[in-house]
Amino acid sequence: MDFLTLFGVYVVVVLTCIVLVCKYAGQEQTPWGRSYNSVTNVVSPCVPLWLKRLFSKALHKLFHERNNAFIYTHLLLEAAVYAEYSYEVFGHCKEMDTTLTNLYIPYVLLVLHLYLFYLCCSRDPGTVTKAKHATQVKVYPYDGELFHPGEMCPTCNLVKPARSKHCRVCNRCVQRFDHHCVWVNNCIGAQNTRYFLMYLLSVCAMAGDMAILTVDLLLNVVARTGILYAHYVDAQGQQQPTGVAFVVQHLFLTFPRIVFMLGFLIFVFFLLAGYVMFHLFLMLGNHTSNEWVKARGRGCQHCHPHSGHHCHSSFNPLRGFYSRGLLKNLSEIFVPLKPLKKKKHK
């Protein structure tokens, strides 16, 4: 299999991952959702009807019903990455005299990550129940814009507490609802947001650390072989100096699994690092992803779908109805609010 074929397979895998991310992230009002819809509109006429139906059913099963498919996929990808790291990267790095402390850090991060992953999957996100409803409804006041008093959830048959939302996938109302994450097969809410953020950070740390070790390995190979300053004979029999493209192709053909792994790690790192930054952006003003989407999709009193007037007000994370100051906003993630108990006067 030549270099172009391998590279083509690699590009297809990466693009497939991006399309799935766009689909999962995508409501129509978000940039990811608009991108996904644009791609779908172009590709749709070329796809047979039976394949569309099959694909639609599969997507509905994956994204709109609770299942463990993404949990198994997550664990399988993780096992494949760590198998390659242990089988090839670890040995080559050890020969380069990389310290054992640096080589064992990914395994320590793996243990921490799996523990946080378990907490994200198993911990209750803050389900609104009849037994706890009287308490949960007092945690946050209604802002009168996104959340209104007296709104009923027709499925749970309960008055919705402020900042809560009914998850169609889990079929329950969740306090301080952020979003439903298919990768942990659970909602992210008031009681498990802290675990979810630490889980994301642990994945970023794992991917970043292994990527650095792998890049160090490949750079060491290039330095030892001197290939960057070598020459090759082209089709016309002329000597040509090797460049970066030649070196990349040589590494891809010499260490295909390692280069594939490195590309995947870099993709995961930047994808999740951006996602973590987005959540930190929301945390500054005590907002949730659900509130961010609802606020951006909500126009002012002067906006009308049939008029030419549209307001483009920026979303300011530091100003919001539920903001209590930077430090209190951050602490609320790790110590969820509880209703204040009124002191009894004797």
Side-chain angles (χ1 to χ4, degrees):
M1 188 177 289
D2 60 7
F3 171 72
L4 290 178
T5 305
L6 281 171
F7 188 73
V9 172
Y10 179 74
V11 170
V12 169
V13 171
V14 172
L15 290 178
T16 302
C17 293
I18 293 174
V19 169
L20 285 174
V21 170
C22 290
K23 171 61 183 175
Y24 172 56
Q27 301 296 332
E28 291 187 0
Q29 63 267 34
T30 64
W32 286 110
R34 288 193 293 269
S35 302
Y36 176 80
N37 291 334
S38 300
V39 172
T40 303
N41 292 335
V42 173
V43 176
S44 184
C46 309
V47 180
L49 183 59
W50 65 269
L51 187 57
K52 281 193 220 176
R53 290 176 178 173
L54 182 64
F55 189 64
S56 178
K57 288 181 180 178
L59 285 180
H60 185 274
K61 180 73 175 176
L62 284 174
F63 295 103
H64 297 287
E65 295 181 15
R66 291 200 75 178
N67 61 83
N68 294 324
F70 280 92
I71 290 181
Y72 297 142
T73 303
H74 171 279
L75 294 175
L76 183 63
L77 289 172
E78 209 161 75
V81 168
Y82 268 87
E84 177 58 27
Y85 173 78
S86 303
Y87 179 68
E88 285 196 278
V89 178
F90 188 94
H92 288 305
C93 288
K94 194 174 180 181
E95 291 175 0
M96 291 165 32
D97 297 327
T98 304
T99 62
L100 287 177
T101 302
N102 290 332
L103 291 177
Y104 281 116
I105 286 177
Y107 297 108
V108 176
L109 291 173
L110 176 63
V111 174
L112 175 64
H113 157 73
L114 288 176
Y115 175 67
L116 293 171
F117 180 63
Y118 168 76
L119 291 178
C120 288
C121 295
S122 60
R123 286 299 177 93
D124 178 66
T127 305
V128 178
T129 62
K130 291 183 179 180
K132 297 184 290 184
H133 180 264
T135 302
Q136 290 171 325
V137 81
K138 297 177 183 177
V139 176
Y140 293 105
Y142 294 93
D143 63 353
E145 294 183 1
L146 301 179
F147 306 101
H148 303 275
E151 285 189 351
M152 293 288 296
C153 173
T155 306
C156 300
N157 198 27
L158 292 170
V159 175
K160 291 182 179 180
R163 312 192 78 182
S164 69
K165 185 179 185 295
H166 185 86
C167 177
R168 291 178 296 175
V169 180
C170 295
N171 194 32
R172 60 184 174 183
C173 284
V174 177
Q175 185 184 15
R176 199 184 183 277
F177 179 86
D178 191 272
H179 69 288
H180 178 88
C181 180
V182 294
W183 292 103
V184 299
N185 195 23
N186 199 5
C187 289
I188 306 303
Q191 303 301 323
N192 65 349
T193 299
R194 57 191 182 277
Y195 303 128
F196 181 71
L197 289 174
M198 289 188 288
Y199 158 74
L200 292 178
L201 288 171
S202 69
V203 178
C204 287
M206 284 167 49
D209 187 54
M210 284 195 286
I212 290 172
L213 288 171
T214 306
V215 169
D216 183 55
L217 163 65
L218 296 177
L219 290 177
N220 190 273
V221 170
V222 171
R224 286 188 177 184
T225 57
I227 189 173
L228 189 60
Y229 306 103
H231 293 76
Y232 70 97
V233 179
D234 61 14
Q236 287 74 36
Q238 301 293 325
Q239 276 197 349
Q240 301 290 344
T242 59
V244 175
F246 184 90
V247 173
V248 172
Q249 179 177 345
H250 173 75
L251 292 174
F252 202 97
L253 295 174
T254 308
F255 306 103
R257 292 191 300 270
I258 292 179
V259 175
F260 265 99
M261 184 191 77
L262 176 61
F264 178 73
L265 290 173
I266 293 174
F267 170 75
V268 169
F269 175 80
F270 282 105
L271 179 70
L272 293 187
Y275 195 49
V276 169
M277 293 301 294
F278 170 70
H279 273 280
L280 290 176
F281 167 79
L282 295 178
M283 285 169 57
L284 293 176
N286 203 339
H287 298 282
T288 65
S289 301
N290 176 53
E291 293 164 4
W292 180 77
V293 172
K294 290 177 70 174
R296 287 175 62 87
R298 180 179 176 275
C300 73
Q301 60 181 346
H302 303 292
C303 295
H304 193 273
H306 301 294
S307 69
H309 186 275
H310 296 282
C311 294
H312 298 283
S313 58
S314 59
F315 182 81
N316 190 338
L318 299 178
R319 294 181 181 177
F321 183 82
Y322 297 105
S323 179
R324 302 185 300 131
L326 182 61
L327 293 179
K328 288 184 178 180
N329 290 343
L330 294 175
S331 67
E332 186 176 319
I333 299 298
F334 299 94
V335 184
L337 286 185
K338 296 180 180 180
L340 295 175
K341 294 182 179 179
K342 295 182 180 180
K343 294 182 179 179
K344 295 182 179 180
H345 299 283
K346 294 182 179 181

